Amino acid sequence: MGIGILVVDDEQEIAELVAVYLKKEGFEVFTAQTAAEAREAAVGGKISLAILDVMLPDGDGFALCREFKARYRFPIIMLTARVEAKDKIAGLELGADDYV
């Protein structure tokens, strides 16, 4: 079993593309398109890194980042089309380890 990475993006194509590249590098990849699915995936303890989109249909990635940081120790990378400085600052202040 490899290192588990959770990819959370409401656009299935993006999540699947990121997953393809990560799997090729030997990672075990879990994908979710909603915050609820992401919470379920994180419960099993197999996640070593989360890659989160900001815009999700049932919440936002910022809230999910804050929740994950309170519950888990894995690092979080925000992967989003929102590139304004205020969004990047918000993500990092909430505990994201990087913002792409």
Side-chain angles (χ1 to χ4, degrees):
M1 177 158 83
I3 295 172
I5 299 179
L6 173 60
V7 179
V8 184
D9 198 303
D10 63 325
E11 294 186 44
Q12 184 175 359
E13 299 83 17
I14 292 174
E16 288 175 357
L17 181 62
V18 172
V20 165
Y21 284 106
L22 293 171
K23 287 177 182 177
K24 184 176 179 182
E25 296 299 321
F27 297 105
E28 183 177 7
V29 181
F30 304 88
T31 60
Q33 277 126 27
T34 66
E37 289 175 3
R39 286 183 195 99
E40 287 179 32
V43 170
K46 296 181 179 181
I47 306 302
S48 298
L49 169 71
I51 300 173
L52 305 180
D53 186 10
V54 172
M55 298 173 280
L56 300 172
D58 61 342
D60 67 50
F62 292 138
L64 190 59
C65 176
R66 181 176 36 244
E67 183 180 329
F68 280 175
K69 280 298 183 176
R71 290 185 170 182
Y72 306 106
R73 295 188 165 257
F74 52 74
I76 297 172
I77 297 173
M78 304 300 290
L79 178 64
T80 179
R82 292 176 64 171
V83 295
E84 291 186 31
K86 67 178 183 160
D87 292 324
K88 183 174 184 175
I89 291 167
L92 295 171
E93 285 180 345
L94 290 172
D97 295 280
D98 205 352
Y99 192 101
V100 181

